[in-house]
Amino acid sequence: MNEYDRYLFYDKPIPYKNLLIYPAKMSEYLDFHFYINCLLLDKNSVPSPEIISMSYLRFLYYMAETTELPYLYMFKELLKMVLKIDKDEAFWFGLKNKNNAVFRINGEEYDSNDLEKIIDIIFTQNCIEHIDDTVQKEIRDAMEEAKKYKMQQNAYKMCSLEEQMICVLISTSLKLEDIYELSIRKFMIKCNVTVCGTISRSAQMRTNKDGK
């Protein structure tokens, strides 16, 4: 059992310092997966020693300064979602001593090390994979393309989110309102169990039929 298991099992918020970090719900799925992109930037693929040496938090601020994409907005909205804090004024983002990236939540200051811990909690709660920096980006991209191709050739193609929800709906006693209240992680587990059970039953029926 790891340090998070007792929280994950019951969908309880995970404490970090003075924060309580909540798992995202299915009703928040689309917004969550938009906001989380701000924590999935491939910093070490940028061919610049200066950027590679940055902390992720400093890199996030750099990207917000040099691109038109709303990375700071996404970061703030993600924090508002998982911390259950509605007020924009509870958050502050900026530099300390010119180049030390920090952020504040309700007046308490957090640095790049805190962000790494918070990212680990959010990813664990919501089944998000960390970028593997030990593998070159070109190789990761090729592996991802191979994975997509294999799925396209597979008899059991990946369902859309809506189709997955319908599958859980008709395979359990849950109503749509109940599904919306599930954490994303619990829904994915339930969906995998439902799909695996359906496939196993189909395979058993084929085995029984062939054995006759």
Side-chain angles (χ1 to χ4, degrees):
M1 178 178 289
N2 68 39
E3 60 181 316
Y4 301 142
D5 280 351
R6 65 193 180 99
Y7 301 103
L8 298 172
F9 189 84
Y10 297 106
D11 280 339
K12 297 295 185 183
I14 295 176
Y16 179 72
K17 294 191 172 180
N18 289 331
L19 303 175
L20 285 176
I21 305 173
Y22 291 80
K25 294 181 178 181
M26 282 302 295
S27 59
E28 302 167 318
Y29 185 96
L30 296 178
D31 286 338
F32 174 81
H33 279 274
F34 172 67
Y35 300 146
I36 199 67
N37 283 301
C38 72
L39 301 183
L40 290 168
L41 302 174
D42 197 353
K43 177 177 76 74
N44 292 339
S45 69
V46 180
S48 166
E50 180 183 1
I51 290 177
I52 291 175
S53 65
M54 289 179 180
S55 68
Y56 189 87
L57 183 59
R58 182 66 187 91
F59 176 66
L60 182 62
Y61 289 176
Y62 167 81
M63 292 296 289
E65 294 165 1
T66 59
T67 71
E68 296 181 357
L69 295 174
Y71 289 120
L72 276 188
Y73 167 80
M74 294 159 70
F75 184 38
K76 181 187 68 176
E77 292 300 313
L78 177 66
L79 290 176
K80 287 170 63 178
M81 177 184 291
V82 301
L83 298 176
K84 306 297 184 188
I85 298 175
D86 293 330
K87 296 180 179 179
D88 288 342
E89 55 268 29
F91 300 91
W92 180 89
F93 307 94
L95 300 179
K96 185 178 180 180
N97 300 326
K98 294 186 178 181
N99 203 43
N100 184 22
V102 297
F103 61 101
R104 297 184 189 128
I105 303 173
N106 287 328
E108 183 167 354
E109 188 169 283
Y110 299 89
D111 61 18
S112 58
N113 293 324
D114 294 313
L115 178 62
E116 294 298 330
K117 189 69 173 178
I118 291 170
I119 288 174
D120 186 54
I121 292 172
I122 293 173
F123 281 21
T124 301
Q125 285 177 316
N126 300 285
C127 300
I128 302 295
E129 291 187 11
H130 287 272
I131 293 175
D132 187 354
D133 289 330
T134 64
V135 180
Q136 290 183 350
K137 184 177 186 303
E138 293 78 7
I139 296 176
R140 291 201 305 270
D141 290 344
M143 291 171 63
E144 185 63 27
E145 288 301 316
K147 182 179 177 181
K148 289 179 181 178
Y149 178 78
K150 184 176 180 180
M151 289 173 60
Q152 290 172 354
Q153 305 306 310
N154 197 312
Y156 301 103
K157 293 184 171 62
M158 178 64 73
C159 298
S160 69
L161 175 64
E162 184 179 18
E163 290 169 333
Q164 292 176 53
M165 291 175 68
I166 296 301
C167 181
V168 171
L169 181 67
I170 63 178
S171 303
T172 68
S173 61
L174 294 177
K175 299 178 181 179
L176 271 177
E177 292 76 12
D178 301 322
I179 293 175
Y180 296 151
E181 287 301 308
L182 289 174
S183 69
I184 292 173
R185 181 176 179 274
K186 278 293 192 295
F187 173 80
M188 293 177 69
I189 293 172
K190 185 175 287 291
C191 188
N192 287 338
V193 170
T194 300
V195 172
C196 287
T198 300
I199 293 173
S200 296
R201 288 192 294 272
S202 297
Q204 186 63 49
M205 290 174 63
R206 287 196 300 270
T207 300
N208 293 340
K209 183 177 179 180
D210 293 342
K212 288 181 179 180

